[in-house]
Amino acid sequence: MRRRQLLIGGLAVAGLAACDRGSGAAGDGPYVAIVSKGFQHQFWQAVKKGAEQEAAGAGATITFEGPATEKEVEAQITMLTNAIAKRPDAIGFAALDSRAAEGLLQQAKAQNIPVIAFDSGVESQVPLTTAATDNLAAAGEAAKHMSELIGGSGKVALVVHDQTSLTGQQRRDGFTGWMAANAPGVQLLPVQYGEGDQARSADITKSILGANPDVKGIYGANEGSAIGVVRGVQESGRTGVTIVGFDSGKAQLDAIRSGLMAGAITQNPVGMGAALVSAALRAIRGETLEKTIDTGYFWYDNTNIDSPEIQAVLYQ
């Protein structure tokens, strides 16, 4: 009887320990809980794929989740709360609101859970590093191509996904900053925000074109924004509007091949996911991390879309 009681007690302790480490964890390797900005876009699925590949190669386990839309800050905060409660060995976090999660990030730090930011940084000293595209430089590259495509003059509109995330801020500021410094003949219209939602971005685009029939170009700052701009231009019946985008979902690739979109910036989401997990595992081992990890970007259009270099970073 005594031996049976000890066995039951041991199983109970083991069960509690397993619950303490987290229901999302599996196996004996390190467990990294990843909270993304979203889950619906092909971009996030590509980040997830890269994270899974890196984790599998290292014998680690990950969970990957994000809210249904990129405007659901409260839902993301709840996901981060639940991730911390699982007591993972590290957390990966792409913030929808660069300030809203500070309290939770401090909680993770107090529990000695290293935090790795990815895609969007946060206004916090807690993350040990950020694996992301240099969005300021990438948006500047998009602006340069837009200016060249419209001959360096005329009205240009921007449909940006949000003004709370650092990606939204940097892709807006990188574009407007490059135009201000290099294209005095380009008149930028007030920035519009479509929450990364295709339908809302399409409606915004139609309103812009209705109020400004002489618009020569429109920039969409993420996958949902860019596809929405294409839809808005099509639904308005306008032709001759130069569209430049960001990201490389299938709808964007189709738009570029058909000539509806002039070109776009593609990131390297598979590489971003792999860099995120690699950094998390190094942090778990106590290694010192660089402040930022630049995961790269590329301009692509119908002249290079089928090149091996570009095909390797598209995420349709």
Side-chain angles (χ1 to χ4, degrees):
M1 177 63 74
R2 169 68 174 165
R3 184 172 181 276
R4 183 169 181 272
Q5 288 175 334
L6 287 174
L7 178 59
I8 293 173
L11 289 173
V13 170
L16 288 171
C19 291
D20 187 49
R21 185 166 180 275
S23 59
D28 297 326
Y31 165 43
V32 182
I34 300 173
V35 178
S36 166
K37 288 172 65 178
F39 204 77
Q40 75 281 30
H41 291 160
Q42 289 167 327
F43 176 83
W44 297 118
Q45 293 300 314
V47 174
K48 179 173 180 282
K49 177 181 177 182
E52 289 174 337
Q53 290 174 344
E54 184 70 18
T61 298
I62 69 163
T63 49
F64 192 106
E65 59 183 339
T69 72
E70 295 183 22
K71 61 183 179 182
E72 297 182 32
V73 176
E74 290 186 11
Q76 190 191 44
I77 292 298
T78 298
M79 290 176 178
L80 182 59
T81 301
N82 294 337
I84 294 172
K86 294 175 182 175
R87 300 184 63 82
D89 297 300
I91 288 175
F93 183 55
L96 278 174
D97 186 314
S98 61
R99 297 181 178 177
E102 175 63 14
L104 288 172
L105 296 179
Q106 291 292 345
Q107 180 183 333
K109 181 180 180 180
Q111 295 179 14
N112 295 317
I113 303 172
V115 177
I116 309 299
F118 70 102
D119 184 65
S120 284
V122 292
E123 296 181 48
S124 168
Q125 298 300 312
V126 173
L128 300 177
T129 188
T130 300
T133 304
D134 183 342
N135 284 293
L136 280 170
E141 182 74 10
K144 183 185 78 171
H145 284 277
M146 173 67 85
S147 178
E148 292 173 351
L149 289 163
I150 65 172
S153 66
K155 287 184 180 178
V156 170
L158 293 81
V159 180
V160 177
H161 40 296
D162 64 61
Q163 52 188 328
T164 57
S165 70
L166 286 182
T167 61
Q169 296 165 16
Q170 292 172 348
R171 293 181 195 175
R172 174 196 63 201
D173 296 345
F175 192 92
T176 59
W178 191 95
M179 288 296 192
N182 300 284
V186 172
Q187 178 189 349
L188 295 180
L189 297 176
V191 179
Q192 303 290 316
Y193 298 95
E195 299 173 343
D197 180 80
Q198 294 179 29
R200 180 167 171 74
S201 298
D203 288 341
I204 289 172
T205 298
K206 287 184 282 188
S207 295
I208 291 172
L209 293 172
N212 301 274
D214 54 344
V215 162
K216 293 180 71 174
I218 305 178
Y219 162 62
N222 79 342
E223 183 177 347
S225 305
I227 296 170
V229 169
V230 171
R231 283 178 50 184
V233 171
Q234 285 183 297
E235 291 170 8
S236 72
R238 284 288 305 277
T239 59
V241 178
T242 297
I243 302 172
V244 165
F246 216 107
D247 294 321
S248 59
K250 185 179 185 305
Q252 284 174 271
L253 303 186
D254 291 343
I256 288 175
R257 292 187 188 281
S258 69
L260 290 170
M261 180 180 286
I265 297 292
T266 183
Q267 305 178 77
N268 181 7
V270 174
M272 185 183 296
L276 155 66
V277 171
S278 175
L281 297 178
R282 286 187 286 145
I284 292 168
R285 293 194 294 266
E287 298 178 18
T288 301
L289 304 181
E290 55 273 49
K291 186 176 180 180
T292 60
I293 302 171
D294 184 353
T295 53
Y297 66 87
F298 303 84
W299 168 262
Y300 71 103
D301 56 23
N302 60 10
T303 68
N304 67 349
I305 192 170
D306 292 317
S307 70
E309 180 184 43
I310 296 300
Q311 284 291 311
V313 293
L314 300 180
Y315 37 95
Q316 59 182 311

